[in-house]
Amino acid sequence: MTDNPKGWKPGARRKAKIDALAQAAGQVQDAGTVADTPGVSLIASAWRRLRRDRVFLIGLTITVLFLLVALFAPLLAPHDPTARLLLDKVRPQSNPIPGPEPGFPLGADNVGRDLLSRLIVGSRQTLLVCVFATLFSLIGGLILGTLAGAFGGWIDSVVMRFVDIMLSIPSLLLAFSVAAMAARPSQWTVILAISIAYLPIFARLLRGSMLAQRHSDHVLAARALGVKQAPIIFRHMLPNSLGPVIVQATLVLATAVIDAAALSFLGLGNPDDRQPEWGQMLGAAQKYIYDYPHLAFYPAACIILVAFGFTLMGESLREALDPKSRR
Amino acid sequence: MTTRAYAADTRSGQALLSVRDLSVVFQRHGEQPFAAVDGVSFEVRPGQTVGLVGESGSGKSVTSLAIMGLLPARGNRVTGVADFDGTDLLKLSSGDMRDRRGKDLGMIFQDPLSSLNPVVPIGVQVTEVLERHKGMSRKAAMPKAREMLDKVGIPDPDRRLKDYPHQLSGGMRQRALIAMALACEPRVLIADEPTTALDVTIQAQILQLLGDLVRDSGTALIMITHDLGVVAGLCDEVNVMYGGRIVERGLRHDLFAAPRHPYTHGLLGSIPRLDGQRGEPLIPIPGSVADNLPWDHACAFAPRCFQPIDVCRSQTPGFVEDGASALRCHNPVGSPHGHTAQPDHAEVNDQ
Amino acid sequence: MTAAAEQTHAQPGDVLVDVQGIKVHFPIKKGVIFDKTIGYVYAVDGVDLQIRRGETYGLVGESGCGKSTLGRAILNLEPPTEGKVVFDGTDIASLRGEELRRKRQHMQMVFQDPLSSLDPRQSVESLLLEGMKAHGLVKDTKAANARLRELLKAVGLPAASLQKYPHEFSGGQRQRIGIARALAVDPQLIVADEPVSALDVSVQAQVINLLEDLQDRFGLTYLVVAHDLAVVRHISDRVGVMYLGALVEEAAADDLYAAPMHPYTRALMSAVPVPDPVVEDRRERILLNGDLPSPANPPKGCRFHTRCPWRQPTQCDTDRPALRVVSIDGVPETHRVACHFAEGIASGELQPHKVEAEVVDPHLGESDAHGSLIGPATTVEVTDTP
């Protein structure tokens, strides 16, 4: 360190004066006070807000209930969902759908299988499809979005043109095409179809916020500091860009439930009706929709409720993670 | 009582807008109520320029929004009186207030771009004000709009009438906004940091313009700013706000020559002056507004004050008016111990 | 620019940063599928300046003048289009990649907005450690911890700050964190871009004093970029005034204030409000007219001629003046002006006259954060406020 070359700056005198003033004031140092409590990170403060958010709690309750039901479906279901227990009650001409009876609160379907049990076990397929579809599209979107957003330039152009082409096809149509191309439809073709349909949305979203981060002051600050490229991307740009993507993922969970149902409804899902699925149940119910609407109502209500739960969570997450709402 | 004495003291004439004991309390559900403005009183006469000076969080902008009825409808409680020529503005319905805004009360904001509608040409935005408040047809209003643009110094006003806000530079946008605010010849103009977003050379133009307009038209101007330099050049009377309250008031020359509140004193000592002695250290005010005490049982500024006494932390200082000046301080600068709490009903015949 | 002129200056200290003919031109691109460059924004267009070790060089100008871009170009955060930046013997402008990254240890930056320049997800501890780790300055945890405490103490923050996050501090405290981060790697040069303009008035002085104090203690060299002439004058030893991508005047801070010579400097200085009614009432204002020309299409000749009240026929419109030493008694050689008629203006031989305001489309190239470039006036005057 070199000596101060300046003669005129009466540093010592100034400091003495300030110190004297601060002493006189007695309490506040120049910089002001800092509370002696542990720091609160962004995630912690978002969680604090969420904990008090009624909308989030409702969404969370619905989602957790759904997860528990799916997890413990075999224990919860009163009967074997594949057993044709009420087959003897089915009268193809006069009464094709047996109504509620003791032990069968919702009645049975056209081959005498317990409706409640099928709904409960059906949650597993729905959960499997929506979680994996969202996860795969999220991973794919993260990779493409990070590539495009972190490097920009021609990599960005190539990736984004590809993504644009995918985006130009309506997502459900894209999912139908992918599912229809599969030789043997199964839940995995549904998952694949939905993840391909949503991948470009994640990619574009992430790329957008990564680009914004690239030009942000704190990334410039990290560059000015001499931080290496990889930590800048993975420690600064990516984590700060994830907020909107996480929110979108919650919302995609909801739409994936509906899309999966739609694909199964159209017969592009798992054809094996020994593995019940809500969309597939809905599809099967359409033959009887005028006389026995309850057959369609229950699976439809389940789909709506679960999608609603995910959406509530997503919306409150969006609000909690929005820096503008923070105080 | 005191206000009347003071009114006659500075300038002849009745107060045009008299704000008395204005408070704005914000309350968000599940949180402590927060008084952003706490018992603020001041008045302004025709042709007079009154400054409200303070930093962020001082309540100066909230004061202006409350007077203009522009605070959000929910989440806050406004009390007090804003007497405009015999009408209490705070009691008016939102519809009646809308009629007043633009006609009797004009307002200019800090950011001219976001205050203008981006998809409507400037000319139409000016004529709209005239249509609404003067019942003029658009055709009849157009020449008047042109005249207004010319008056605020926008070159080539015919062409600019057809321009959209983004086609104007920052300084010109602020001029257009002033033209809109003045189109119906309001009797009170509130300018909320009108030059903060502008460069100094442009700021000088806008301040000159505002000064000329007030002088020529007799409009009362309330100037809200954080910049003591702006106040020094423009305002007849200065109110210094801190933590939602006015802590010192004075005529321009008196206040700058001998600031009595430690906060005013500290502010003046902490800004570098272009004409000051270089090498002289700045004396900062320690801490930040986060260190404030609540006004209820103390002086909010006490923790940052350079000469607090015991009573500063235990008693709310009263607002003591003395002629044209007023002070809220237990231990003002220059009189370390002998400040009485009795308001001094000053002699009237100063001029 | 001759080195000889520099040597004669009274200030001790060698040249730490030597900026030679630096230019930063941003391409303006247009096109649906393939971008085509249709023009350039001449943000910085030929600047020479020297910063000596241990001094504070102030760069002042209005938004859009290119001062922030120049600050970044000197650090090669914005790669210069042309020119050299010799820092301590090495040309920074030509360095790339790892070499450049290593060099960053010696030149740091302090930003305008203390909140947006701190990663909201990092605690103060990790913020401060990051630079030290990047340059291999962390040997063991114990030493690092001691160093962190020392840094916080240097900028006047309590040790409890380490575990906290940027959003938990006030504006002034955040700026202190930003300064501590820059200090952490033990730099020689700090470029401070509008270090106090985002802060409350009462807090600005704290940060200004802190910067001065740290300079005294650590022998730092500063380049302070700001629009506030009063702040720049207070903190700087030498000041450069920028207009439309170039320096128009450079002098020791006191000389510049005592005798501003360039018409733009005069106008700028006369426009800065002074918190003193007595001064304000007596001041002579030089109100500029017309818009700031677009940096994408700068005027030929002297860049200021479109708004200059002292503009003279032909030469101002055609010849671009370079910084030069004026031949006036009592004006030191370090006071340089880019004006053809500085002598005549200073002696009063040339008098200001009316300028026709020109309307400029603000569209081409607004680059600065302030966004508001311009302001016109129909009345063109040199007013004497009574």
Side-chain angles (χ1 to χ4, degrees), chain B residues 272-313:
Chain B
R273 275 174 63 156
L274 190 58
D275 62 341
Q277 220 14 281
R278 220 173 68 88
E280 202 161 85
L282 301 175
I283 302 165
I285 301 175
S288 71
V289 286
D291 301 305
N292 284 1
L293 291 175
W295 279 110
D296 315 349
H297 307 291
C299 170
F301 185 64
R304 303 178 67 193
C305 183
F306 68 91
Q307 51 170 23
I309 51 178
D310 291 345
V311 68
C312 295
R313 295 183 152 267

Side-chain angles (χ1 to χ4, degrees), chain A residues 8-10 13-14 17-18 21-22 24-34 52 54 327, chain B residues 28-31 278-279 281-288 290-291 302-306 308 313:
Chain A
W8 58 266
K9 272 185 188 167
R13 187 161 62 86
R14 181 183 62 240
K17 201 163 177 181
I18 296 165
L21 287 176
Q27 311 81 12
V28 178
Q29 287 303 305
D30 218 12
T33 46
V34 173
R52 279 177 298 173
R54 222 169 299 157
R327 268 164 297 118
Chain B
R28 304 170 79 115
H29 83 116
E31 282 175 31
R278 220 173 68 88
L282 301 175
I283 302 165
I285 301 175
S288 71
D291 301 305
R304 303 178 67 193
C305 183
F306 68 91
R313 295 183 152 267

Side-chain angles (χ1 to χ4, degrees), chain A residues 78-100:
Chain A
H79 306 285
D80 179 356
T82 56
R84 303 177 170 195
L85 298 171
L86 292 182
L87 193 58
D88 53 327
K89 296 268 169 52
V90 176
R91 307 272 177 279
Q93 298 307 316
S94 59
N95 183 24
I97 308 294

Side-chain angles (χ1 to χ4, degrees), chain A:
Chain A
M1 306 272 164
T2 57
D3 275 333
N4 170 32
K6 273 179 270 189
W8 58 266
K9 272 185 188 167
R13 187 161 62 86
R14 181 183 62 240
K15 272 200 68 178
K17 201 163 177 181
I18 296 165
D19 288 348
L21 287 176
Q23 210 80 68
Q27 311 81 12
V28 178
Q29 287 303 305
D30 218 12
T33 46
V34 173
D36 213 4
T37 48
V40 181
S41 73
L42 278 191
I43 292 179
S45 79
W47 173 238
R48 274 187 189 179
R49 263 193 310 270
L50 280 177
R51 252 186 350 203
R52 279 177 298 173
D53 184 354
R54 222 169 299 157
V55 174
F56 177 77
L57 292 180
I58 294 172
L60 187 70
T61 312
I62 294 174
T63 311
V64 168
L65 275 179
F66 167 61
L67 287 179
L68 288 177
V69 167
L71 217 58
F72 299 106
L75 301 176
L76 291 172
H79 306 285
D80 179 356
T82 56
R84 303 177 170 195
L85 298 171
L86 292 182
L87 193 58
D88 53 327
K89 296 268 169 52
V90 176
R91 307 272 177 279
Q93 298 307 316
S94 59
N95 183 24
I97 308 294
E101 320 208 341
F104 300 84
L106 301 181
D109 66 2
N110 59 336
V111 286
R113 296 175 296 201
D114 177 35
L115 201 58
L116 181 63
S117 304
R118 285 183 72 75
L119 279 178
I120 290 173
V121 175
S123 64
R124 300 192 123 189
Q125 288 295 316
T126 309
L127 179 73
L128 183 85
V129 169
C130 74
V131 166
F132 276 96
T134 307
L135 200 66
F136 290 160
S137 57
L138 187 62
I139 292 170
L142 282 180
I143 293 171
L144 290 185
T146 308
L147 268 178
F151 297 105
W154 66 269
I155 302 180
D156 180 33
S157 296
V158 170
V159 171
M160 286 336 279
R161 288 306 83 82
F162 173 67
V163 164
D164 283 344
I165 291 167
M166 286 173 75
L167 268 179
S168 65
I169 308 168
S171 60
L172 202 56
L173 192 68
L174 186 66
F176 287 159
S177 325
V178 174
M181 273 191 294
R184 248 188 66 243
S186 72
Q187 65 264 48
W188 292 104
T189 58
V190 174
I191 288 171
L192 189 72
I194 296 175
S195 34
I196 289 178
Y198 285 109
L199 186 150
I201 295 178
F202 285 117
R204 191 152 258 278
L205 198 63
L206 185 68
R207 179 240 183 202
S209 38
M210 289 278 277
L211 279 186
Q213 288 295 323
R214 219 158 94 102
H215 296 116
S216 74
D217 272 1
H218 71 89
V219 168
L220 185 68
R223 278 178 56 206
L225 206 55
V227 179
K228 289 180 184 158
Q229 182 80 355
I232 289 182
I233 293 172
F234 292 107
R235 262 216 317 267
H236 295 290
M237 289 166 65
L238 193 58
N240 280 297
S241 315
L242 280 181
V245 176
I246 290 169
V247 171
Q248 186 65 36
T250 341
L251 298 175
V252 162
L253 275 175
T255 34
V257 171
I258 294 168
D259 286 356
L263 289 176
S264 306
F265 175 86
L266 293 172
L268 294 167
N270 191 357
D272 186 356
D273 72 351
R274 280 170 309 178
Q275 284 183 347
E277 202 274 337
W278 294 342
Q280 170 215 68
M281 287 167 71
L282 201 60
Q286 64 176 327
K287 257 198 280 182
Y288 310 99
I289 190 95
Y290 290 110
D291 298 317
Y292 303 96
H294 74 270
L295 219 52
F297 174 78
Y298 292 124
C302 287
I303 292 168
I304 291 170
L305 190 68
V306 169
F308 184 60
F310 283 137
T311 309
L312 289 187
M313 278 205 335
E315 288 296 338
S316 13
L317 257 181
R318 187 206 298 281
E319 234 165 75
L321 292 177
D322 181 5
K324 270 177 247 132
S325 69
R326 186 180 311 124
R327 268 164 297 118

